[in-house]
Amino acid sequence: MKSFKDKVAAITGAASGMGRTLAVELARRGCHLALSDVNETELVRTAELASQHGVRVTLRKLDVADRAAVFAWADEVVRDHGRVNLVFNNAGVALTVPVEHAKISDFEWIMGINFWGVVHGTQAFLPHLRASGDGHIVNTSSLFGLMAIPTQGTYNATKFAVRGFTEALRMELEMEGACVSATCVHPGGIATNIAMAGKVDPAMEKLTGATIEQHKRRANKMISTTTAESAALQILTAVERNARRVLVGPDAKFLDKLVRLLGSTYQALVIRQMRKLNSRKPR
Ligand SMILES: NC(=O)c1ccc[n+]([C@@H]2O[C@H](COP(=O)([O-])OP(=O)(O)OC[C@H]3O[C@@H](n4cnc5c(N)ncnc54)[C@H](O)[C@@H]3O)[C@@H](O)[C@H]2O)c1
């Protein structure tokens, strides 16, 4: 997609972080917006920020794990805006728990949002994107969709799944010569609300001696490499270039290279780093 001017973009998880900065940057470039999130109060704030750029903005309180609601929203977006050109399947949550302690309900919760949310958004919007004649699907995976990390097995499972799903979709669309394309987004650490809003299983306290609050603060510090504003710019550049994959931030670019260079041996390096981190006194 060469330009976002006068296009219509639907964004999930638009109340915070990258969803919000994507909305504001797209609005600045003249793109009309259909925004959704479970957090209605903060969604209204995003809409206020985006509306300052004179574009049409519609809102929907929406849980991406709710398949029927996502399909109904896609139809509503087309009714309200006349068409839709882009969908950003961005909504996501974090969970820190070792695999052994993860309950099936934990897997179902995070899969419902991070993976099924992306599937719902892709399938609900694809027919409408085709009808627009110029469409793009932007699915958010993670650096943790390229490498695994201890205590992130549930999150890793969702983000590896998003990557496989999106890469297959992209190839299918390209083989067909479709007017719709797809990009998989792999952010490294981005300064957003995700760590503080995420869940940390109580098992982590026993295993590490650090409190849940300390775990969240530590994770929050670790993801402060790139601003959400810069992440939005990098993602939109990738869409303009029709990139298959975008690595967002220097940490994502570096670690992607390292994992490809080392193969599965990267795990030994991760273990060493994690041991070092866990031996530090929690603050
Ligand atoms: N921040 C990072 O370091 C980082 C790194 C890699 C990938 N990501 C991914 O980027 C995406 C955006 O996250 P962010 O960092 O901007 O986080 P964020 O917490 O700031 O924003 C996520 C938004 O998703 C919304 N949300 C949560 N559950 C939802 C649901 N069931 N339905 C609809 N909306 C829901 C939240 O209310 C929030 O507004 C996520 O998919 C996340 O996994 C983030």
Side-chain angles (χ1 to χ4, degrees):
M1 190 168 293
K2 296 277 172 277
S3 158
F4 299 110
K5 185 147 179 56
D6 281 326
K7 299 286 191 329
V8 177
I11 307 175
T12 68
S16 174
M18 284 180 268
R20 173 173 285 173
T21 54
L22 281 165
V24 173
E25 183 56 28
L26 282 164
R28 206 185 60 78
R29 298 181 193 197
C31 183
H32 306 286
L33 298 170
L35 307 177
S36 71
D37 203 290
V38 282
N39 184 338
E40 209 168 8
T41 313
E42 289 302 316
L43 189 61
V44 169
R45 179 70 195 129
T46 302
E48 284 167 1
L49 294 170
S51 298
Q52 290 171 8
H53 297 284
V55 296
R56 180 169 162 69
V57 183
T58 56
L59 300 185
R60 167 65 46 211
K61 184 177 183 197
L62 178 82
D63 177 355
V64 292
D66 181 341
R67 183 182 310 160
V70 177
F71 275 77
W73 179 52
D75 293 343
E76 177 187 299
V77 171
V78 174
R79 264 199 316 274
D80 289 348
H81 290 267
R83 68 193 182 285
V84 59
N85 303 92
L86 296 127
V87 62
F88 292 82
N89 291 306
N90 159 81
V93 288
L95 170 63
T96 300
V97 61
V99 170
E100 189 176 359
H101 296 269
K103 296 181 278 300
I104 292 302
S105 57
D106 291 331
F107 275 103
E108 285 171 346
W109 172 71
I110 199 165
M111 271 289 177
I113 299 168
N114 290 10
F115 175 63
W116 283 106
V118 170
V119 175
H120 297 156
T122 299
Q123 293 206 323
F125 279 89
L126 184 50
H128 299 303
L129 300 177
R130 282 189 191 277
S132 78
D134 186 9
H136 208 105
I137 298 168
V138 187
N139 289 342
T140 300
S141 173
S142 170
L143 167 62
F144 293 164
L146 297 164
M147 64 178 285
I149 190 149
T151 75
Q152 294 300 314
T154 61
Y155 186 83
N156 280 137
T158 68
K159 296 299 187 179
F160 273 69
V162 168
R163 172 187 164 200
F165 170 80
T166 307
E167 290 185 3
L169 169 73
R170 163 74 186 229
M171 288 187 275
E172 288 165 8
L173 294 168
E174 215 169 309
M175 280 176 74
E176 178 203 321
C179 64
V180 181
S181 190
T183 295
C184 195
V185 180
H186 297 272
I190 314 294
T192 70
N193 202 33
I194 195 154
M196 296 311 287
K199 290 188 191 172
V200 177
D201 191 274
M204 291 299 296
E205 292 187 308
K206 282 202 194 94
L207 291 168
T208 64
T211 64
I212 288 177
E213 195 52 30
Q214 285 167 335
H215 274 288
K216 287 190 179 191
R217 280 210 305 271
R218 184 193 274 179
N220 195 43
K221 210 167 151 195
M222 280 168 68
I223 63 165
S224 59
T225 311
T226 301
T227 64
E229 287 76 14
S230 167
L233 293 179
Q234 293 176 53
I235 294 166
L236 294 182
T237 301
V239 175
E240 283 170 333
R241 292 183 182 157
N242 195 21
R244 299 171 200 282
R245 169 185 293 181
V246 52
L247 299 159
V248 183
D251 49 348
K253 290 187 178 80
F254 171 74
L255 287 165
D256 168 60
K257 275 203 187 76
L258 194 74
V259 167
R260 282 187 287 119
L261 188 75
L262 296 180
S264 58
T265 317
Y266 84 84
Q267 295 170 22
L269 270 189
V270 173
I271 291 166
R272 203 180 308 158
Q273 279 304 111
M274 291 292 280
R275 282 197 176 129
K276 222 189 268 172
L277 202 68
N278 288 340
S279 67
R280 281 189 207 145
K281 268 214 153 348
R283 276 183 292 155

